[in-house]
Structures are given as C-alpha cells and as structure tokens.
Amino acid sequence: MNPAEEKLKQCEKSLRQRIDFVPQAALVLGSGLGGYAEKLRVVQTLDYSQIEGFPVSTVSGHKGRFLFGYAGEVPVVCMQGRVHYYEGYPMSDVVLPIRLMGKMGAKVLLLTNAAGGIKEGMHAGDLMMITGQIASFVPSPLIGANIGELGERFPDMSQIYDKKLQEIIRQAAQNRQLPLWEGTYLQMSGPQYETPQEVQMCRLLGADAVGMSTACEAVAAHHMGMRVAGISCISNLAAGISSQPLSHAEVQQAADRSAQKFGALVDDFLREIGERMEVLCR
Ligand code: HPA
C-alpha cells in the first residue's frame, strides 16, 4: 500500500472510532469564513489533533476541527480550517481531509476560500462562484502510486465544478438578490502574496481570482467521484490591481464583512442539496 493510502486508512480508522456520522455533503470553510458553522445544527465536533496522523494547520485564524451537523435535514461534515501546501505538508496530506470526508460518505463537496480578485470590476467583499480552475502552479495531489480504490490513474478534469451544483448556487444567489461573479480560480503555492507581475500573468492566463488553496482539493475530490462546487470570497483586489499592500489581517476582515451573505448562500445551497440528493447521487 502506498504511504498516502496507508495514512488515509489510519485516519479513517481513528475517526470511525469516535464518530459514526454519515454526511451527504462536505463543506470546507476558508479563511475568515469559519463563522458559518453557527448556522449548522452541530451534533458532534472533533479536533483534527484527535485524529491519528491527521495534518493540523498552523495558520492563525484557522481553527482545526470537523463539525458534524445538519443544514435543514441534510447531514453535513464541515471543516473549520484546512491545511495549506505552503505550511510544508506534502500534497497528499493537504488533500487527505477531503478524501476522508468522501470516504465517510459525502457525495457533494463545497469548497470555499478567501481570494484575491483579478477580474475587472471586482471589489473586496464580493463573492465568486468557481466555474473552472488552474492548478498547474502547485504539484498534483495525485502524484505517486494511484489509490485505485478512490479513482483512476488518469482522471478526466474537463468539468471539475459540477454544472448542477453551479445552477443551484446561481439560483440561490438570484433568489436572495446577491450579486455573484463566476470565474476561474488559480491556485498559487504562497505563502507570499503575488507580485503585480504575477497577477498580470494570472490574468493573461484567464484567472479571475487567485488564492493558495482549493484547486488541489477539487482535483482530489473529482478524482474520487465527488461532485464539487466552489465559492471564493474576494477578500482583496490582487496585488497591483489595487495600490494597497496586502495583509492577512485585511483578508480576514473582508471575509468577516461578507460573512452574512456568504453564510446565506452556503446555507441555501446545502438545504437545496437535500431536496436534490436523489438526482445528485445518480
Ligand atoms: N492572493 C493569494 N491568496 C489570497 C489572496 C491574494 O491576493 N487573498 C486571499 N488569499
């Protein structure tokens, strides 16, 4: 068994000793967006540190725990805090939590993050639904022996972000009259923010927002057949697009300011998933 597979099995065993919850949907809450958890009817929590072998985040503002609960009637596992590649973990560790949630039973994954806005007209505090991604600036989480139990060696990536889920998010935003950008997310390794020149490059490549997470997780989730959706909170304009220097504190404050509309959108999405689960499981 390859080491990534072994570690996944170990974490799964350790988690199942404590939790018997079966989620339908999985949610990853990005920087500053952890407050959504208050909307969930939480029945159990588990600190990442209690799971043997599980990667634990070192970034301030990132809580490290799983919440198990319900959005309406829909059983949801939620990550409050994630680990990032820039923390020094191998990619297989970075995506281990996603695989674990998939193995617990989650069929649908909603990834969220704070990101720098590139697309013309964006403002800090805006929301963007991710419709496509560029993951080529970070190593693939699928490098190494393929975990055949999860998926195939050369998985197709022509439609990572599920069209039906996109429609649900679009509809939810419309119903609430929330403006919602749609676009391509590009993952950089970080931890430094981009230079204005790198942001120009991202723009030339077709990116609408840039961040340091998500794309690798989406690849791993799509590899194992989960349906994936993503929402970026545009916490700042990417370097050079605004003249202001970037700071982590600013990113978190902007995410906090959009917390309410973000929370409403996520909640509507999860509840709607419950209504459509039969269709989505097909
Ligand atoms: N760049 C990269 N990652 C980010 C940014 C950014 O401007 N804002 C929040 N996360």
PDB file of all heavy atoms in Angstrom, residues 156-173:
ATOM      1  N   ASP A 156     -10.133  12.348 -15.988  1.00  0.00           N
ATOM      2  CA  ASP A 156     -10.544  13.491 -16.807  1.00  0.00           C
ATOM      3  C   ASP A 156     -10.837  14.686 -15.897  1.00  0.00           C
ATOM      4  O   ASP A 156     -11.407  14.520 -14.819  1.00  0.00           O
ATOM      5  CB  ASP A 156     -11.818  13.098 -17.573  1.00  0.00           C
ATOM      6  CG  ASP A 156     -12.407  14.283 -18.317  1.00  0.00           C
ATOM      7  OD1 ASP A 156     -11.792  14.706 -19.308  1.00  0.00           O
ATOM      8  OD2 ASP A 156     -13.468  14.792 -17.901  1.00  0.00           O
ATOM      9  N   MET A 157     -10.416  15.873 -16.316  1.00  0.00           N
ATOM     10  CA  MET A 157     -10.654  17.068 -15.495  1.00  0.00           C
ATOM     11  C   MET A 157     -11.359  18.145 -16.321  1.00  0.00           C
ATOM     12  O   MET A 157     -11.229  19.336 -16.049  1.00  0.00           O
ATOM     13  CB  MET A 157      -9.323  17.631 -14.957  1.00  0.00           C
ATOM     14  CG  MET A 157      -8.649  16.755 -13.924  1.00  0.00           C
ATOM     15  SD  MET A 157      -9.425  16.826 -12.286  1.00  0.00           S
ATOM     16  CE  MET A 157      -9.099  15.158 -11.693  1.00  0.00           C
ATOM     17  N   SER A 158     -12.103  17.736 -17.356  1.00  0.00           N
ATOM     18  CA  SER A 158     -12.682  18.760 -18.223  1.00  0.00           C
ATOM     19  C   SER A 158     -13.856  19.484 -17.569  1.00  0.00           C
ATOM     20  O   SER A 158     -14.199  20.582 -17.973  1.00  0.00           O
ATOM     21  CB  SER A 158     -13.061  18.173 -19.583  1.00  0.00           C
ATOM     22  OG  SER A 158     -13.759  16.983 -19.418  1.00  0.00           O
ATOM     23  N   GLN A 159     -14.453  18.893 -16.548  1.00  0.00           N
ATOM     24  CA  GLN A 159     -15.539  19.596 -15.847  1.00  0.00           C
ATOM     25  C   GLN A 159     -15.455  19.267 -14.358  1.00  0.00           C
ATOM     26  O   GLN A 159     -16.199  18.424 -13.861  1.00  0.00           O
ATOM     27  CB  GLN A 159     -16.898  19.173 -16.430  1.00  0.00           C
ATOM     28  CG  GLN A 159     -18.069  19.998 -15.938  1.00  0.00           C
ATOM     29  CD  GLN A 159     -18.020  21.436 -16.420  1.00  0.00           C
ATOM     30  OE1 GLN A 159     -18.057  21.692 -17.614  1.00  0.00           O
ATOM     31  NE2 GLN A 159     -17.910  22.386 -15.493  1.00  0.00           N
ATOM     32  N   ILE A 160     -14.538  19.937 -13.676  1.00  0.00           N
ATOM     33  CA  ILE A 160     -14.369  19.643 -12.242  1.00  0.00           C
ATOM     34  C   ILE A 160     -15.559  20.173 -11.450  1.00  0.00           C
ATOM     35  O   ILE A 160     -16.097  19.503 -10.580  1.00  0.00           O
ATOM     36  CB  ILE A 160     -13.068  20.280 -11.699  1.00  0.00           C
ATOM     37  CG1 ILE A 160     -11.842  19.670 -12.392  1.00  0.00           C
ATOM     38  CG2 ILE A 160     -12.990  20.099 -10.182  1.00  0.00           C
ATOM     39  CD1 ILE A 160     -10.509  20.186 -11.869  1.00  0.00           C
ATOM     40  N   TYR A 161     -15.954  21.408 -11.758  1.00  0.00           N
ATOM     41  CA  TYR A 161     -17.027  22.044 -10.972  1.00  0.00           C
ATOM     42  C   TYR A 161     -18.363  21.664 -11.594  1.00  0.00           C
ATOM     43  O   TYR A 161     -18.639  21.988 -12.760  1.00  0.00           O
ATOM     44  CB  TYR A 161     -16.808  23.561 -10.895  1.00  0.00           C
ATOM     45  CG  TYR A 161     -15.565  23.858 -10.085  1.00  0.00           C
ATOM     46  CD1 TYR A 161     -14.311  23.964 -10.700  1.00  0.00           C
ATOM     47  CD2 TYR A 161     -15.625  23.948  -8.697  1.00  0.00           C
ATOM     48  CE1 TYR A 161     -13.161  24.167  -9.948  1.00  0.00           C
ATOM     49  CE2 TYR A 161     -14.481  24.151  -7.945  1.00  0.00           C
ATOM     50  CZ  TYR A 161     -13.252  24.266  -8.571  1.00  0.00           C
ATOM     51  OH  TYR A 161     -12.117  24.456  -7.821  1.00  0.00           O
ATOM     52  N   ASP A 162     -19.147  20.958 -10.807  1.00  0.00           N
ATOM     53  CA  ASP A 162     -20.364  20.317 -11.286  1.00  0.00           C
ATOM     54  C   ASP A 162     -21.398  21.339 -11.772  1.00  0.00           C
ATOM     55  O   ASP A 162     -21.729  22.291 -11.068  1.00  0.00           O
ATOM     56  CB  ASP A 162     -20.935  19.500 -10.125  1.00  0.00           C
ATOM     57  CG  ASP A 162     -22.076  18.632 -10.539  1.00  0.00           C
ATOM     58  OD1 ASP A 162     -21.812  17.508 -10.981  1.00  0.00           O
ATOM     59  OD2 ASP A 162     -23.243  19.093 -10.446  1.00  0.00           O
ATOM     60  N   LYS A 163     -21.911  21.096 -12.956  1.00  0.00           N
ATOM     61  CA  LYS A 163     -22.865  22.038 -13.568  1.00  0.00           C
ATOM     62  C   LYS A 163     -24.161  22.161 -12.771  1.00  0.00           C
ATOM     63  O   LYS A 163     -24.716  23.237 -12.637  1.00  0.00           O
ATOM     64  CB  LYS A 163     -23.209  21.579 -14.993  1.00  0.00           C
ATOM     65  CG  LYS A 163     -22.052  21.696 -15.960  1.00  0.00           C
ATOM     66  CD  LYS A 163     -22.071  23.050 -16.634  1.00  0.00           C
ATOM     67  CE  LYS A 163     -21.129  23.064 -17.829  1.00  0.00           C
ATOM     68  NZ  LYS A 163     -20.766  24.425 -18.230  1.00  0.00           N
ATOM     69  N   LYS A 164     -24.645  21.033 -12.266  1.00  0.00           N
ATOM     70  CA  LYS A 164     -25.910  21.076 -11.497  1.00  0.00           C
ATOM     71  C   LYS A 164     -25.719  21.875 -10.219  1.00  0.00           C
ATOM     72  O   LYS A 164     -26.579  22.654  -9.821  1.00  0.00           O
ATOM     73  CB  LYS A 164     -26.369  19.655 -11.146  1.00  0.00           C
ATOM     74  CG  LYS A 164     -26.979  18.916 -12.306  1.00  0.00           C
ATOM     75  CD  LYS A 164     -27.873  17.793 -11.790  1.00  0.00           C
ATOM     76  CE  LYS A 164     -28.452  17.017 -12.950  1.00  0.00           C
ATOM     77  NZ  LYS A 164     -27.739  15.751 -13.217  1.00  0.00           N
ATOM     78  N   LEU A 165     -24.567  21.674  -9.573  1.00  0.00           N
ATOM     79  CA  LEU A 165     -24.304  22.419  -8.337  1.00  0.00           C
ATOM     80  C   LEU A 165     -24.157  23.911  -8.643  1.00  0.00           C
ATOM     81  O   LEU A 165     -24.610  24.761  -7.871  1.00  0.00           O
ATOM     82  CB  LEU A 165     -23.046  21.890  -7.638  1.00  0.00           C
ATOM     83  CG  LEU A 165     -23.085  20.427  -7.187  1.00  0.00           C
ATOM     84  CD1 LEU A 165     -21.825  20.075  -6.403  1.00  0.00           C
ATOM     85  CD2 LEU A 165     -24.312  20.123  -6.337  1.00  0.00           C
ATOM     86  N   GLN A 166     -23.541  24.212  -9.766  1.00  0.00           N
ATOM     87  CA  GLN A 166     -23.417  25.629 -10.167  1.00  0.00           C
ATOM     88  C   GLN A 166     -24.797  26.253 -10.310  1.00  0.00           C
ATOM     89  O   GLN A 166     -25.033  27.385  -9.892  1.00  0.00           O
ATOM     90  CB  GLN A 166     -22.677  25.750 -11.505  1.00  0.00           C
ATOM     91  CG  GLN A 166     -21.188  25.497 -11.404  1.00  0.00           C
ATOM     92  CD  GLN A 166     -20.495  25.671 -12.753  1.00  0.00           C
ATOM     93  OE1 GLN A 166     -20.839  26.536 -13.553  1.00  0.00           O
ATOM     94  NE2 GLN A 166     -19.504  24.841 -13.004  1.00  0.00           N
ATOM     95  N   GLU A 167     -25.701  25.488 -10.897  1.00  0.00           N
ATOM     96  CA  GLU A 167     -27.054  26.006 -11.123  1.00  0.00           C
ATOM     97  C   GLU A 167     -27.753  26.278  -9.783  1.00  0.00           C
ATOM     98  O   GLU A 167     -28.456  27.281  -9.621  1.00  0.00           O
ATOM     99  CB  GLU A 167     -27.836  24.989 -11.975  1.00  0.00           C
ATOM    100  CG  GLU A 167     -29.097  25.515 -12.597  1.00  0.00           C
ATOM    101  CD  GLU A 167     -28.964  26.937 -13.164  1.00  0.00           C
ATOM    102  OE1 GLU A 167     -28.037  27.162 -13.961  1.00  0.00           O
ATOM    103  OE2 GLU A 167     -29.788  27.808 -12.800  1.00  0.00           O
ATOM    104  N   ILE A 168     -27.526  25.389  -8.828  1.00  0.00           N
ATOM    105  CA  ILE A 168     -28.139  25.572  -7.501  1.00  0.00           C
ATOM    106  C   ILE A 168     -27.609  26.845  -6.842  1.00  0.00           C
ATOM    107  O   ILE A 168     -28.364  27.640  -6.268  1.00  0.00           O
ATOM    108  CB  ILE A 168     -27.868  24.329  -6.614  1.00  0.00           C
ATOM    109  CG1 ILE A 168     -28.637  23.116  -7.166  1.00  0.00           C
ATOM    110  CG2 ILE A 168     -28.260  24.601  -5.164  1.00  0.00           C
ATOM    111  CD1 ILE A 168     -28.324  21.794  -6.482  1.00  0.00           C
ATOM    112  N   ILE A 169     -26.314  27.060  -6.930  1.00  0.00           N
ATOM    113  CA  ILE A 169     -25.710  28.250  -6.311  1.00  0.00           C
ATOM    114  C   ILE A 169     -26.189  29.523  -7.016  1.00  0.00           C
ATOM    115  O   ILE A 169     -26.550  30.516  -6.378  1.00  0.00           O
ATOM    116  CB  ILE A 169     -24.156  28.165  -6.345  1.00  0.00           C
ATOM    117  CG1 ILE A 169     -23.687  27.000  -5.479  1.00  0.00           C
ATOM    118  CG2 ILE A 169     -23.520  29.475  -5.886  1.00  0.00           C
ATOM    119  CD1 ILE A 169     -22.202  26.714  -5.555  1.00  0.00           C
ATOM    120  N   ARG A 170     -26.220  29.465  -8.339  1.00  0.00           N
ATOM    121  CA  ARG A 170     -26.670  30.618  -9.132  1.00  0.00           C
ATOM    122  C   ARG A 170     -28.101  30.992  -8.742  1.00  0.00           C
ATOM    123  O   ARG A 170     -28.433  32.152  -8.532  1.00  0.00           O
ATOM    124  CB  ARG A 170     -26.604  30.220 -10.608  1.00  0.00           C
ATOM    125  CG  ARG A 170     -26.557  31.349 -11.592  1.00  0.00           C
ATOM    126  CD  ARG A 170     -26.336  30.814 -13.000  1.00  0.00           C
ATOM    127  NE  ARG A 170     -24.981  30.389 -13.272  1.00  0.00           N
ATOM    128  CZ  ARG A 170     -24.625  29.185 -13.735  1.00  0.00           C
ATOM    129  NH1 ARG A 170     -25.533  28.256 -13.988  1.00  0.00           N
ATOM    130  NH2 ARG A 170     -23.361  28.896 -13.952  1.00  0.00           N
ATOM    131  N   GLN A 171     -28.940  29.968  -8.630  1.00  0.00           N
ATOM    132  CA  GLN A 171     -30.348  30.184  -8.288  1.00  0.00           C
ATOM    133  C   GLN A 171     -30.486  30.760  -6.882  1.00  0.00           C
ATOM    134  O   GLN A 171     -31.262  31.697  -6.643  1.00  0.00           O
ATOM    135  CB  GLN A 171     -31.095  28.840  -8.398  1.00  0.00           C
ATOM    136  CG  GLN A 171     -32.604  28.969  -8.391  1.00  0.00           C
ATOM    137  CD  GLN A 171     -33.108  29.813  -9.574  1.00  0.00           C
ATOM    138  OE1 GLN A 171     -32.781  29.511 -10.719  1.00  0.00           O
ATOM    139  NE2 GLN A 171     -33.884  30.860  -9.295  1.00  0.00           N
ATOM    140  N   ALA A 172     -29.694  30.221  -5.961  1.00  0.00           N
ATOM    141  CA  ALA A 172     -29.754  30.702  -4.568  1.00  0.00           C
ATOM    142  C   ALA A 172     -29.358  32.175  -4.510  1.00  0.00           C
ATOM    143  O   ALA A 172     -29.992  32.975  -3.815  1.00  0.00           O
ATOM    144  CB  ALA A 172     -28.838  29.861  -3.683  1.00  0.00           C
ATOM    145  N   ALA A 173     -28.330  32.545  -5.248  1.00  0.00           N
ATOM    146  CA  ALA A 173     -27.881  33.942  -5.255  1.00  0.00           C
ATOM    147  C   ALA A 173     -28.972  34.834  -5.851  1.00  0.00           C
ATOM    148  O   ALA A 173     -29.265  35.912  -5.332  1.00  0.00           O
ATOM    149  CB  ALA A 173     -26.580  34.072  -6.041  1.00  0.00           C
TER     150      ALA A 173
END
